[in-house]
Short mmCIF file of all heavy atoms in Angstrom, two decimals:
data_model
loop_
_atom_site.label_atom_id
_atom_site.label_comp_id
_atom_site.label_asym_id
_atom_site.label_seq_id
_atom_site.Cartn_x
_atom_site.Cartn_y
_atom_site.Cartn_z
N SER A 111 4.40 1.09 1.34
CA SER A 111 5.11 1.71 2.48
C SER A 111 6.61 1.44 2.38
O SER A 111 7.20 0.85 3.29
CB SER A 111 4.55 1.14 3.79
OG SER A 111 3.16 1.28 3.87
N LEU A 113 9.14 3.18 2.85
CA LEU A 113 9.96 3.79 3.90
C LEU A 113 9.82 3.06 5.23
O LEU A 113 10.47 3.42 6.20
CB LEU A 113 9.56 5.27 4.08
CG LEU A 113 9.63 6.15 2.84
CD1 LEU A 113 9.09 7.54 3.14
CD2 LEU A 113 11.06 6.23 2.33
N GLY A 114 8.95 2.04 5.27
CA GLY A 114 8.71 1.30 6.50
C GLY A 114 7.66 1.94 7.39
O GLY A 114 7.41 1.48 8.49
N LEU A 115 7.05 3.00 6.90
CA LEU A 115 5.99 3.69 7.64
C LEU A 115 4.79 3.84 6.73
O LEU A 115 4.91 3.93 5.51
CB LEU A 115 6.47 5.08 8.09
CG LEU A 115 7.63 5.07 9.08
CD1 LEU A 115 8.21 6.47 9.23
CD2 LEU A 115 7.19 4.53 10.42
N VAL A 116 3.61 3.85 7.33
CA VAL A 116 2.36 3.91 6.56
C VAL A 116 2.02 5.37 6.27
O VAL A 116 2.05 6.22 7.17
CB VAL A 116 1.22 3.22 7.34
CG1 VAL A 116 -0.07 3.25 6.52
CG2 VAL A 116 1.59 1.79 7.69
N HIS A 117 1.71 5.64 5.01
CA HIS A 117 1.33 6.99 4.58
C HIS A 117 -0.13 7.27 4.93
O HIS A 117 -0.91 6.36 5.18
CB HIS A 117 1.50 7.13 3.07
CG HIS A 117 2.88 6.83 2.58
ND1 HIS A 117 4.00 7.48 3.04
CD2 HIS A 117 3.31 5.91 1.68
CE1 HIS A 117 5.07 7.00 2.43
NE2 HIS A 117 4.68 6.04 1.60
N GLU A 118 -0.49 8.54 4.88
CA GLU A 118 -1.88 8.93 5.08
C GLU A 118 -2.74 8.40 3.94
O GLU A 118 -3.76 7.76 4.16
CB GLU A 118 -1.99 10.45 5.15
CG GLU A 118 -3.42 10.95 5.23
CD GLU A 118 -3.51 12.45 5.09
OE1 GLU A 118 -2.75 13.05 4.31
OE2 GLU A 118 -4.38 13.03 5.77
N PHE A 128 1.98 10.07 -2.67
CA PHE A 128 1.25 9.89 -1.42
C PHE A 128 1.18 11.20 -0.65
O PHE A 128 1.88 12.15 -0.97
CB PHE A 128 1.94 8.82 -0.55
CG PHE A 128 3.41 9.06 -0.34
CD1 PHE A 128 3.86 9.91 0.66
CD2 PHE A 128 4.35 8.44 -1.15
CE1 PHE A 128 5.21 10.15 0.86
CE2 PHE A 128 5.70 8.66 -0.96
CZ PHE A 128 6.13 9.52 0.05
N THR A 129 0.32 11.23 0.36
CA THR A 129 0.28 12.36 1.28
C THR A 129 0.91 11.91 2.59
O THR A 129 0.71 10.77 3.01
CB THR A 129 -1.16 12.84 1.52
OG1 THR A 129 -1.95 11.78 2.05
CG2 THR A 129 -1.80 13.35 0.22
N ARG A 130 1.67 12.75 3.20
CA ARG A 130 2.40 12.52 4.45
C ARG A 130 3.30 11.29 4.36
O ARG A 130 2.83 10.17 4.24
CB ARG A 130 1.45 12.39 5.63
CG ARG A 130 0.63 13.63 5.87
CD ARG A 130 -0.12 13.52 7.17
NE ARG A 130 -1.22 14.46 7.20
CZ ARG A 130 -1.93 14.72 8.27
NH1 ARG A 130 -1.65 14.13 9.41
NH2 ARG A 130 -2.91 15.57 8.23
N SER A 131 4.58 11.48 4.47
CA SER A 131 5.52 10.36 4.40
C SER A 131 5.30 9.37 5.54
O SER A 131 5.62 8.19 5.41
CB SER A 131 6.96 10.87 4.39
OG SER A 131 7.19 11.66 5.53
N TRP A 132 4.80 9.85 6.64
CA TRP A 132 4.35 8.96 7.72
C TRP A 132 3.17 9.62 8.37
O TRP A 132 3.04 10.84 8.38
CB TRP A 132 5.47 8.67 8.72
CG TRP A 132 5.88 9.87 9.52
CD1 TRP A 132 6.78 10.84 9.15
CD2 TRP A 132 5.39 10.26 10.81
NE1 TRP A 132 6.87 11.80 10.12
CE2 TRP A 132 6.03 11.46 11.16
CE3 TRP A 132 4.48 9.70 11.69
CZ2 TRP A 132 5.78 12.12 12.36
CZ3 TRP A 132 4.24 10.35 12.89
CH2 TRP A 132 4.90 11.55 13.20
N PHE A 133 2.29 8.80 8.88
CA PHE A 133 1.05 9.29 9.48
C PHE A 133 0.83 8.48 10.75
O PHE A 133 0.53 7.28 10.69
CB PHE A 133 -0.09 9.11 8.47
CG PHE A 133 -1.40 9.74 8.84
CD1 PHE A 133 -1.46 11.02 9.36
CD2 PHE A 133 -2.59 9.05 8.63
CE1 PHE A 133 -2.68 11.61 9.68
CE2 PHE A 133 -3.81 9.63 8.95
CZ PHE A 133 -3.85 10.92 9.47
N ASN A 137 -0.08 4.45 11.27
CA ASN A 137 0.91 3.53 11.84
C ASN A 137 0.40 2.88 13.12
O ASN A 137 0.70 1.71 13.38
CB ASN A 137 2.24 4.26 12.05
CG ASN A 137 2.96 4.46 10.74
OD1 ASN A 137 3.53 3.53 10.19
ND2 ASN A 137 2.88 5.67 10.21
#
Side-chain angles (χ1 to χ4, degrees):
S111 306
L113 304 175
L115 297 168
V116 182
H117 303 303
E118 175 188 36
F128 53 84
T129 58
R130 299 189 199 190
S131 57
W132 67 276
F133 188 44
N137 285 284

